[in-house]
Amino acid sequence: MSQGTVNVPTTTADVLAKKIADRTARVGIIGLGYVGLPLAVEFAKAGFSVTGIDLVESKVARINAGDSYVQDVQSAEVNALVEEGKLRATTDFSVVAELDTINICVPTPLRKTKDPDMSYIVSACQEMVKYIHPGMLVILESTTYPGTTDELVLPMLASGGMKAGEDFFLCFSPERVDPGNPRYQTRNIPKVVGGVTPPCTRMGSLFYSQALQNVVPVSSTQVAEMVKLLENTFRMINIGLVNELAVMCDRMGINIWEVIDAAATKPFGFMPFYPGPGLGGHCIPIDPFYLSWKTRQAGIEARFIELAGYVNGQMPHFVVEKIQNALNDRGKAVKGSHIHILGVAYKRDIDDVRESPALDIIHLLQKRGATVTFTDPYVPTLRIEEETLFSTDATEALNKADCGVIITDHKTIDYSALLGDAKLIVDTRNALRGISSEKIIRL
Ligand SMILES: NC(=O)c1ccc[n+]([C@@H]2O[C@H](COP(=O)([O-])OP(=O)(O)OC[C@H]3O[C@@H](n4cnc5c(N)ncnc54)[C@H](O)[C@@H]3O)[C@@H](O)[C@H]2O)c1
């Protein structure tokens, strides 16, 4: 190139790469939930103009009013970005026509049969393809089975004759957000990305590197899809193992928590996992079944997953048995007792009750004739079947209740102080560690 010549981008890839690198690319995020909203905010903070698309009008209205409904995202941050014109939300998919990039962050639940429910991805793609145009980057972030991006999404996007890697760019990038984790958030969690072609991977990597600290390119969409399933299956199986050990230790009169703490002093080759009342959330109880469903198509049974699923699924029943035995030992029965639940979110310091074991435990206790109340500073109301329960004052409730049960160990609650108010406490999280009392029954 001679001196003074301007390097004008010529190919579709060059044009898009330039827009991404100079942050003039218009970014779109489909699905503004726990995953999509923090991502939208990160890209807006990096200087991009970001448009979120969601079906729920109330969410769209709240974003446009500068009001966050996701605990890890501050309203002040959303408000500042909306006022600056960097962030907006809409229910109208026609905005896709003006966008350069799209991240799809819609739900991927299981059907009742434990088969993947792809309907949200399919419907988002069907709406999006009406407005797709050459020069776009599309990245699927919803957790799914290996093969989804290539087998399901690619044919929909290419149906108009555009070619991946030349006319448009398609990747999968697993979302690893850990709600309530103050140390690791969207920006500093390494981002794995795999494209359907090498130019797609390069485009996806370039995109994420504008707003996130560390990008990890992999060779294919299937590898990227499998990474997420390995991570969550690893957790689910290890939790299953430690839950089974907790049941064994209970039978043998050994304190499992003390065992784990001592084992964790080994400086290599051991990673502690903790037992609990059962799995919860939108990821760990669900994602491994995406893998087992896919491998079943290939004639391979995912036996570890099925086994851990069974063991973890038994934990709410085990907790109810512990409550029943503790009451029986004190001359009472579950039927007719008042049981107060401390914490109903699926894990500490968050407001999410999706798949929370508290739901199963409350339902089982009610079925056995108990009156159940609860306290959760993050969850004001809870729907159990047809009934709505309201979070109440813990001290007052424990004073009246026959038994308290710690299901979620929120950091803001002083459990040792509450012990004085209770007649009996079943502690499924070791929230009362180090305290010795006849009133405490540990998992
Ligand atoms: N929540 C987590 O901690 C977490 C962590 C890692 C990965 N994931 C995965 O990320 C994906 C999204 O999860 P989430 O927790 O953000 O879900 P969510 O339910 O909080 O958010 C999904 C959003 O998508 C919207 N939506 C649904 N269908 C749509 C459509 N067709 N078009 C536009 N918007 C639509 C919903 O209204 C909702 O606001 C899932 O695949 C999940 O497994 C979640």
Side-chain angles (χ1 to χ4, degrees):
M1 189 168 63
S2 65
Q3 260 194 349
T5 311
V6 179
N7 195 4
V8 179
T10 47
T11 66
T12 304
D14 289 343
V15 173
L16 179 58
K18 183 172 182 308
K19 283 188 195 173
I20 291 173
D22 65 21
R23 303 189 186 186
T24 54
R26 286 149 308 172
V27 171
I29 310 282
I30 300 181
L32 293 173
Y34 288 92
V35 166
L37 184 57
L39 189 69
V41 165
E42 277 316 321
F43 274 91
K45 274 175 20 191
F48 289 89
S49 156
V50 179
T51 305
I53 307 173
D54 203 289
L55 301 179
V56 178
E57 280 183 12
S58 57
K59 287 189 174 179
V60 165
R62 284 184 70 175
I63 295 304
N64 288 332
D67 180 20
S68 170
Y69 44 79
V70 170
Q71 204 185 318
D72 289 338
V73 176
Q74 301 303 313
S75 288
E77 202 165 45
V78 173
N79 195 37
L81 293 167
V82 170
E83 287 204 337
E84 239 184 282
K86 288 291 175 202
L87 180 65
R88 64 175 176 151
T90 178
T91 54
D92 181 1
F93 271 81
S94 70
V95 291
V96 171
E98 305 160 12
L99 302 176
D100 299 301
T101 70
I102 292 279
N103 290 68
I104 304 172
C105 309
V106 296
T108 43
L110 287 174
R111 297 190 187 282
K112 280 211 167 70
T113 51
K114 290 219 154 94
D115 287 352
D117 179 355
M118 292 285 124
S119 61
Y120 297 86
I121 293 182
V122 170
S123 122
C125 288
Q126 278 170 343
E127 283 306 307
M128 184 182 69
V129 292
K130 292 181 191 163
Y131 307 100
I132 196 168
H133 52 86
M136 280 192 90
L137 166 66
V138 176
I139 306 177
L140 178 63
E141 293 216 9
S142 302
T143 305
T144 185
Y145 59 82
T148 306
T149 313
D150 274 28
E151 294 159 17
L152 185 75
V153 179
L154 177 59
M156 291 173 83
L157 268 53
S159 60
M162 288 201 299
K163 204 156 178 249
E166 291 177 20
D167 306 316
F168 73 100
F169 305 88
L170 175 62
C171 299
F172 181 83
S173 176
E175 178 49 59
R176 294 160 140 178
V177 69
D178 182 18
N181 187 329
R183 186 165 169 210
Y184 293 107
Q185 301 211 325
T186 304
R187 185 170 158 67
N188 64 348
I189 299 173
K191 197 81 175 106
V192 171
V193 58
V196 298
T197 66
C200 293
T201 309
R202 284 198 292 276
M203 198 65 79
S205 302
L206 176 70
F207 174 69
Y208 284 122
S209 65
Q210 307 304 312
L212 312 183
Q213 274 177 8
N214 190 357
V215 178
V216 184
V218 294
S219 65
S220 66
T221 56
Q222 288 90 340
V223 168
E225 288 158 340
M226 193 66 189
V227 165
K228 175 74 185 174
L229 297 179
L230 167 61
E231 290 166 5
N232 282 0
T233 303
F234 171 82
R235 276 192 68 72
M236 182 237 205
I237 286 173
N238 279 289
I239 293 169
L241 171 66
V242 85
N243 275 335
E244 187 169 67
L245 287 171
V247 175
M248 290 174 183
C249 283
D250 185 67
R251 192 68 60 84
M252 294 185 287
I254 299 169
N255 182 330
I256 181 72
W257 307 95
E258 194 184 345
V259 172
I260 298 167
D261 285 349
T265 60
K266 187 180 178 188
F268 50 87
F270 182 80
M271 180 187 280
F273 284 85
Y274 297 95
L279 294 183
H282 189 8
C283 294
I284 311 292
I286 292 173
D287 303 349
F289 291 102
Y290 269 71
L291 181 57
S292 62
W293 175 84
K294 183 68 178 176
T295 59
R296 223 177 306 131
Q297 323 272 304
I300 300 168
E301 228 181 287
R303 284 181 288 185
F304 272 116
I305 294 175
E306 299 297 335
L307 184 58
Y310 174 77
V311 172
N312 292 328
Q314 290 305 303
M315 291 313 286
H317 298 271
F318 180 67
V319 170
V320 169
E321 249 172 62
K322 290 226 56 134
I323 298 168
Q324 182 168 303
N325 292 341
L327 284 167
N328 291 166
D329 288 347
R330 285 154 180 82
K332 292 189 177 265
V334 169
K335 190 172 176 164
S337 285
H338 172 190
I339 297 168
H340 188 71
I341 306 292
L342 294 163
V344 294
Y346 80 83
K347 69 170 186 172
R348 160 194 295 184
D349 301 338
I350 63 160
D351 60 2
D352 193 351
V353 296
R354 289 180 294 179
E355 315 283 330
S356 173
L359 303 174
D360 285 341
I361 291 168
I362 294 174
H363 181 58
L364 288 168
L365 291 170
Q366 286 179 331
K367 256 187 17 193
R368 292 188 190 194
T371 299
V372 185
T373 53
F374 84 96
T375 301
D376 193 312
Y378 296 94
V379 184
T381 61
L382 189 66
R383 193 98 184 127
I384 304 282
E385 304 271 289
E386 298 304 304
E387 195 188 350
T388 302
L389 303 182
F390 295 87
S391 179
T392 57
D393 179 73
T395 303
E396 218 174 279
L398 284 173
N399 269 311
K400 292 189 209 144
D402 300 290
C403 177
V405 186
I406 301 171
I407 301 289
T408 319
D409 52 344
H410 292 305
K411 279 199 209 117
T412 48
I413 294 185
D414 182 350
Y415 294 96
S416 56
L418 288 177
L419 188 59
D421 302 311
K423 298 176 188 72
L424 169 69
I425 288 222
V426 175
D427 180 3
T428 70
R429 298 284 189 182
N430 205 23
L432 294 164
R433 73 170 50 224
I435 301 175
S436 166
S437 164
E438 296 267 297
K439 288 184 187 178
I440 305 172
I441 304 293
R442 289 192 168 84
L443 190 72

